[in-house]
Amino acid sequence: MSEKKDTKDNTTSARKEKHPAIWIFSIVILVLIIITFVAGPAISGFLPSSSSQELSFGSYNGEPITYSYNSYFYRQRESVASNWDEEVTDQNYQWQMYQIWRTAFNNTVFFMDLMQRAEKAGLEVTEKRLNEYLLNNGPYINENGSFDKEIYNNTLQSERQEVRNQIHDEFIQQQVITDLVNTFSNQNEAEFVIEQGREEKAFDYISFKLNEYPAEQVKAYAIENMMLFSQVNLSTISLGEDELEAESVYEKIKNEELTFEEAAQTYSKDSFANEGGNLGWTYFYDLRSNVNSDEEANSVFSLKSGDISNLIETEFGYSIYKVNETPQPPDLDDENTIGDIRSYLVQNEKALLEDFFIEKAESFIVKASNDGFNSAASELDKEVFSTNPAPLNYGGTSFLKTLSQADSEGLLGNESANEFIMKELFSQSVGDFTEPMILSNSITVAKCTDKQTVEDERINSMVNIFPYYLQQVQQQELSSMILESDKLEDNFMNIFFSQISPLNNN
């Protein structure tokens, strides 16, 4: 960032400075976009336009973020409010006021960061540049587009200096932003990205969902792990982490000073208290997940109907259990029980189910290679999903068409950020099958059905658009970096709701 930039050919500068509204406010608009500008009503806020009002909203890199009359924060609040075009109602007034003040605060933080960077770099704007700008733009231009000495002379000296200071700051901001983000990216990089978008592929695919694990396989697993799915009808009292209090309640039940149900209603801290602690039928694996060991779970399942457990420590504190009905083995002819066991397997034995369906998917690929994709899918009663052509767009950048836009079902499209899946899909030639792919809770097989090269004007124009797209991404990253910086001491919420919010003034 050097002063040499001010001595360049003035042709470009003159072209930029012909339209004062565009030039003087261009950086303001850019900053508002970067800081998530929210368009909305002219709400002046609660504080009057008085030099006596001054509030500190925190600091940035040690510099106070101050709201006072005619400060940058003040002007930003006025600017945002004046551009607010949403209807103001009693119901949304509070929210809209918050948005206006928050946007102005964010813009101020962004401004402070840029000005601090400029000061550190020694960046300045020449008097010549400021004078040239004011001669061709600004508040002293008459209806004919010429500088008007009378308007200038009739303006108070303090106002003229204020305008000059604001233009100076806008020039500084523009230069810092230009230096921080690359306005034009490398042409080879742009062409590389465009070439990725030029080739598009389409796919057919089917999915084997893990929750379709066959009932006979579920039963086989349950028979081998019968204790896991045994059930007992329980009531429970949850007593928190205070051991002395828990022991006191337990002694009252043991000495028959209170019934279990009375103790639950009086002392239990869970949602079953009003029902006397009635938990209902509970699987062994559910109880085991709540207590600290298999031994404690087994001790509850060894009780008879009407028995009360010892005081048991759980991850949530201390509990007491009462057995309402003797434990029973799972009913493997009951569909609900099979569904519960299948859900357990999806959550806890995913690898087992994935191996099962990968084998199914591999058999499908062999069958589909001989009989055709649709025919093989039909034999398995599987629905075939199809995508429209899309380019390899790893990460789902909005600059190119995305697979999620091309995939109405969404299963493949949801994997745009999965490097392995994208590589597996787009490395296939037309007619080729992918390997079985693990997607969420399913195993998926896809076939490349089409490949096409896009030569339309939209793709060709992207070479010129790409640098500006990249600039936008860089600006967003810069915004996030500043607002998430450790340099920022953000007291906005506290000051807004204690000093500004109408709720505080009612």
Side-chain angles (χ1 to χ4, degrees), residues 95-113:
W95 178 86
Q96 298 202 35
M97 177 181 287
Y98 174 86
Q99 293 297 321
I100 288 172
W101 279 85
R102 184 76 215 192
T103 301
F105 173 85
N106 289 352
N107 292 350
T108 302
V109 173
F110 190 85
F111 167 79
M112 292 173 65
D113 179 272

Side-chain angles (χ1 to χ4, degrees), residues 295-310:
E295 181 180 354
E296 290 177 328
N298 283 323
S299 70
V300 174
F301 266 72
S302 65
L303 298 174
K304 298 177 181 178
S305 179
D307 287 351
I308 295 175
S309 72
N310 294 324

Side-chain angles (χ1 to χ4, degrees), residues 328-399:
Q328 299 178 5
D331 181 1
L332 299 182
D333 293 323
D334 179 67
E335 291 185 4
N336 291 330
T337 301
I338 294 297
D340 290 342
I341 299 172
R342 185 184 283 114
S343 295
Y344 172 89
L345 292 172
V346 171
Q347 184 174 356
N348 298 282
E349 296 287 356
K350 186 173 288 189
L352 174 68
L353 274 58
E354 288 173 349
D355 288 345
F356 175 85
F357 283 115
I358 286 174
E359 185 177 338
K360 291 287 185 183
E362 289 172 343
S363 298
F364 166 79
I365 292 173
V366 173
K367 183 73 173 176
S369 299
N370 296 324
D371 301 341
F373 197 91
N374 289 337
S375 176
S378 179
E379 286 190 25
L380 294 175
D381 197 25
K382 287 289 179 184
E383 183 176 1
V384 176
F385 301 102
S386 300
T387 76
N388 293 321
L392 172 58
N393 185 3
Y394 173 65
T397 173
S398 58
F399 182 61

Side-chain angles (χ1 to χ4, degrees), residues 95-161:
W95 178 86
Q96 298 202 35
M97 177 181 287
Y98 174 86
Q99 293 297 321
I100 288 172
W101 279 85
R102 184 76 215 192
T103 301
F105 173 85
N106 289 352
N107 292 350
T108 302
V109 173
F110 190 85
F111 167 79
M112 292 173 65
D113 179 272
L114 297 184
M115 297 305 290
Q116 289 177 9
R117 291 173 188 267
E119 182 179 3
K120 184 177 181 180
L123 182 65
E124 258 303 338
V125 179
T126 64
E127 291 296 312
K128 178 182 178 182
R129 186 178 182 191
L130 290 173
N131 291 336
E132 288 178 348
Y133 179 82
L134 289 172
L135 286 171
N136 296 283
N137 308 278
Y140 316 121
I141 305 301
N142 59 28
E143 295 178 356
N144 297 323
S146 302
F147 180 81
D148 194 317
K149 290 185 178 180
E150 183 177 355
I151 297 176
Y152 180 81
N153 290 329
N154 288 336
T155 303
L156 294 175
Q157 174 64 30
S158 59
E159 293 180 5
R160 294 203 300 262
Q161 186 60 47

